[in-house]
Amino acid sequence: MKLDDFESVFRSSVKTPFHHAPPNIESALLVTDVDNAATGAFLGEIQPFLASGHADGIEWTTLTSEDFQEVSTVLDRVRRNPPSLVVCYRHLLGQGVRLPYSLGSTVDTLTQATDVPVLLLPRPDEVGITLPKKASQVMVVTDHLTGDDRLVNWAAHLCTDDGTLFLSHIEDKAILKKYLDACSKIPGIDFDLAKEKLPKKLLAMPSDYIASTSEILAKQGIHENVQALVKVGDPVKDYEQLVEELGVDLLIMNTKDHDQNAMHALAYALSVEIRNRPLLLL
Amino acid sequence: MSPEGITYIFAAILVAMVFTLAIEEKIHAKKSMIVGIYAVISLLLAAAFGILPEPHAELLLLEPHGDLSPDQVVHMPVYIPGVEWEVIAIILGSGLFIDVVSRSGIFSWTAILLTKRSAGDPLRLLIYYSAITVIFSAVLNNVAAMMIVGSLTMVSLEKLKRKDLLLGFLLTEGLLTNIGGLLTLISSVPNIILGNMAEIGYVDFFVKAAPYTLVATALTIFMAVRIFGIRSLETEEEKAAAAELVATFDERDGIESKIFFNFSWALLGIFILVIATTSVLPWIGGEHGLGMGYVAVSFALIALIRYKHEVDKNYAAVDWDLLAFFTFLFVVIDTMKYSGVLTLIGDGIAKLLSLPDALAGASLLWSSAIASSVTDNVPLAAVMGNILKGMENTPDFQWWATIFGTNLGGNFTPIGSASTVVAVAIIHRAKLPLTFGSFVKTAAPFAIAQLALATAYVLLFFR
């Protein structure tokens, strides 16, 4: 073995552990485009859903169609007095035609122009869609799970004690193929070795992190049932399928990209595709 | 040409080879290439001057137990019997064995476990890393030990956010590889060459070298603590934070197969036991036994069973440059023997050795050390071994003075030994400033202290 081999062994042995730090949800702002009465009824459905986990005692305020007509009003309100959580749905203010493959400018602005987490619910007037009574099947979605403590902490906080926490990581097979193709064209790289080891290592990192999460949550007596979903695949298609198969009540994902204003690519794709479930956009 | 003239021509070739080896980095040439070219030139000149033994083609005799008959004569070129094949077999076998066993993760597991046990305390980490450097140097070899401990040091101090200590740690470890290299007969190539020539057994070597290794390690750690200002953590907060950071290391990560991991531990234990008892084993030990090289190669093959379908990858990992270097070197030294160069150097050393014992021993130790600090200690060991072997009744302390000198001299300069070269490579990889001069300035107090201790030890206990 050479110096590089040993260095790789030791670098690989350094794991990123999960740090349990539950979010403190003191206040929530419900933003709707219906009147106060309808908003109150809607709030009545949301409160038990959120309280089914550990998020109880939240101080609620609302912003209804009677309070605002412009996105900037919502943004000013959130910036002036930031709540712990904003709850809303797509296409607020009936923004033109409700294009199915968009979130509407209010949600776009809230997720990207503020740091406040947004709980995106199915529209209350959407036919055939009802809000789950409790969050017992919660899934964390990310293309970089390792070290994403914030996502996992929110998920653990909102999931019911007897529920299941699905910590997932789907490595995009198209990207992996691109890298392996590049490896096959570099003379110094053992392609067979790269083909065997690269996917394994890419999946080992989130698997180790999930194992650490599961161990720490179990130690704290919070969640016994943490399930790992780690594989190489087609993220958007696979997540859509998994969400349906597992009957996920709440999907949690990261929307912030460090180097751009637009929403994180996978999060945006899933947000527009999965319209029948609550999504927590962090 | 007169015999003296021929001797001086070959002496010039030897000096030129040593000089070229000293500047190998500058001329971007591998050791084996340099020595190989000198071997080719030496052989051709020796043949041209007619100094090779006659007839060349019938030099080696098979199984010289009884009377020889013509069909027992093996026809072999002159450069074949000149090579110490036992040494080559030991280096090839043990190198391959250790490489295969390393893949089980036993060494990285040990190193990571100790890192976690240190709880991230710099002083404890230095003591642990120093201890494993010495042990790994003894069990593996200096270069492998430096690669394992050096790369872990880089990763762990980076994790602990203590890169300010990295230079001190790596230098200390580099200097300790040459101390650990003294522990057993197969820990370093000079030991293998000189120990074989002096017919020192594995256990005898260990018993005589271990006390020095222990004291010199403690002395080196003590000096490192003072010189590099390595201190224990003081506050509880610092201790808790450091402990949490090193706890993120997972010692099981490098273990691909638990069965092979356990098997490797057992095999390593048996390897050490068999090597240690080689001299008394039936068919293996003794004058006509198969020898230590056979043991090393056999264990390498047993370990390779795990990778039987891809042994070519393990063969590729063998340091062929090193093996070719040794082979060519033995050829060069053999021609030096025929040309009278070894006798010439031997005469000079004989004058040194005619001094009173204490002075002779000290001179031999320090001159070997100084010579090995500027050039490779392997040619030096091979030349010195041949000279001492050629003398009548060479006393023990002269062999030991040469062994200590050739091993420890490597600590004076960054090019003095292969393991200090690796240490410097890791230091440069970490982008730490270290020039040839600053290495010598920092390492000299350590090297002088270690050599002073060795001088006292050899003169007090081996005379």
Side-chain angles (χ1 to χ4, degrees), chain A residues 88-109:
Chain A
C88 61
Y89 44 80
R90 290 171 181 75
H91 308 297
L92 280 167
L93 300 172
Q95 290 149 347
V97 181
R98 285 177 197 165
L99 295 168
Y101 298 107
S102 76
L103 300 173
S105 56
T106 310
V107 176
D108 277 348
T109 307

Side-chain angles (χ1 to χ4, degrees), chain A residues 1-17 19 190 192-193 196-197 201 208, chain B residues 99 102-103 108 111-112 147-148 151-152 154-155 158-159 244 248-250 253-254 256 313 317 426 429:
Chain A
M1 288 173 81
K2 297 190 168 53
L3 184 59
D4 281 343
D5 297 335
F6 286 115
E7 197 182 328
S8 301
V9 167
F10 293 126
R11 289 208 183 279
S12 167
S13 73
V14 182
K15 307 294 180 195
T16 309
H19 292 279
D190 181 339
D192 287 338
L193 191 71
E196 183 201 337
K197 301 275 183 182
K201 186 49 76 182
D208 289 341
Chain B
D99 184 71
S102 294
R103 288 174 199 276
S108 51
I112 293 171
M147 286 200 293
I148 295 175
S151 50
L152 176 61
M154 195 160 66
V155 175
E158 201 176 282
K159 183 77 188 166
E244 194 183 335
T248 61
F249 279 97
D250 181 2
D253 188 77
E256 286 186 4
K313 284 184 184 166
I426 300 174
R429 184 185 276 236

